[in-house]
Amino acid sequence: MISQGDGKPVVANKKAMFDIFLAKGDGTKLYSSTDQGTPTQVSMNEKEFFKVIIDGLVGKPQGSRVAIAATVKDVWGSAGAPQLKLKTTDTVLFVLDVLSVEPTDVLDAPQGKDVAAPAGAPTVQESGNKVTGLDFSKAPKKAPAKLQVIPLVEGDGPKAESGRLVTFNYYGAVWGSKKPFDSSFSRGAPVPFGVGVKGLIPAWDKVIPGLKQGSRVLIIAPPADGYGSRAQSGIPANSTLTFVVDVLGVDS
């Protein structure tokens, strides 16, 4: 380990977010996540990432810088890494900066002060604490043109920070739609995402940092803050997106 951080440790089978610098044994750069502009976010299990990296990172505190030297075969196996023009006997060096770890203190549901939504906002439909739909019957047919964040529950926990992992439940629908295009509620478990690192749509990166754990918000994202002119599964091009987001855990 080059330097030790003072945050919470990376945990096996939990997500961690880190920057990677990869070089040949002679120091020649092969890859840098900072050059790409987005750090790596993976669960610490062999189905998602290299065992040699998992073994080197698990237990290391957030804020640490870790160096790992290994042969190509140790990392990629007997198939090697032909895409990098490396032999199985070549040595590579990883330098990894641990940016964030999956929150361990995660709420089951929003927790805080209820806030009345303004007139014209879509109505959240729920069963218990599970969001099951959005009712647009009292909302304008024409979607709002600007990014909006509407508090429904003001949490009283620590704030979500840009560049850290935050655990959410969420429900997302195209403005006016009766069906979601995606929902973690229907899958039965919240999910951790890095915010402010260009791994999410712009709307989330803009409005999630600063929200407190326990919050529930309604996010209305016009195309420029969503997927723009790029159609996605269940999302036509130039759609305004509507999300209910529960902030359940933060790595602060």
Side-chain angles (χ1 to χ4, degrees):
M1 184 159 54
I2 298 173
S3 60
Q4 182 168 321
D6 57 5
K8 294 180 180 178
V10 176
V11 177
N13 298 310
K14 298 291 186 180
K15 184 174 280 190
M17 183 166 68
F18 46 92
D19 273 326
I20 298 177
F21 179 89
L22 171 63
K24 292 182 180 179
D26 62 5
T28 303
K29 181 170 71 173
L30 295 169
Y31 173 82
S32 169
S33 62
T34 56
D35 290 348
Q36 303 300 316
T38 303
T40 298
Q41 305 178 50
V42 291
S43 292
M44 293 287 99
N45 65 69
E46 293 179 48
K47 292 181 179 180
E48 292 201 19
F49 215 58
F50 305 121
K51 182 178 185 300
V52 67
I53 302 300
I54 294 168
D55 291 345
L57 286 186
V58 168
K60 302 300 190 297
Q62 179 271 332
S64 297
R65 172 168 286 182
V66 180
I68 300 172
T71 67
V72 168
K73 185 176 181 180
D74 288 337
V75 181
W76 286 277
S78 57
Q83 71 278 16
L84 297 175
K85 298 180 180 179
L86 298 174
K87 300 176 182 178
T88 55
T89 53
D90 288 339
T91 300
V92 291
L93 174 68
F94 292 90
V95 179
L96 307 134
D97 290 341
V98 182
L99 305 176
S100 185
V101 298
E102 182 175 336
T104 54
D105 180 17
V106 178
L107 301 173
D108 293 327
Q111 182 175 296
K113 178 184 177 182
D114 290 341
V115 180
T123 302
V124 177
Q125 300 171 321
E126 56 185 316
S127 175
N129 292 311
K130 179 180 179 181
V131 175
T132 57
L134 283 168
D135 180 1
F136 290 89
S137 61
K138 296 182 180 180
K141 289 188 177 181
K142 185 177 180 180
K146 294 183 178 181
L147 175 64
Q148 297 182 26
V149 54
I150 300 170
L152 301 176
V153 178
E154 291 183 349
D156 53 10
K159 288 183 180 180
E161 296 183 13
S162 184
R164 298 290 186 91
L165 288 165
V166 180
T167 298
F168 310 98
N169 259 327
Y170 65 92
Y171 177 101
V174 173
W175 180 269
S177 176
K178 295 181 180 180
K179 295 182 179 181
F181 57 79
D182 193 13
S183 172
S184 67
F185 290 98
S186 64
R187 294 192 293 272
V191 288
F193 288 114
V195 298
V197 294
K198 300 181 181 179
L200 300 168
I201 61 169
W204 282 42
D205 276 345
K206 289 177 180 178
V207 306
I208 298 296
L211 295 178
K212 292 184 177 180
Q213 183 180 16
S215 296
R216 169 175 284 181
V217 295
L218 188 65
I219 300 173
I220 302 171
D225 290 301
Y227 293 105
S229 60
R230 295 171 296 149
Q232 306 288 319
S233 177
I235 305 174
N238 299 308
S239 291
T240 294
L241 310 179
T242 313
F243 297 93
V244 183
V245 178
D246 293 349
V247 180
L248 303 177
V250 303
D251 178 30
S252 58

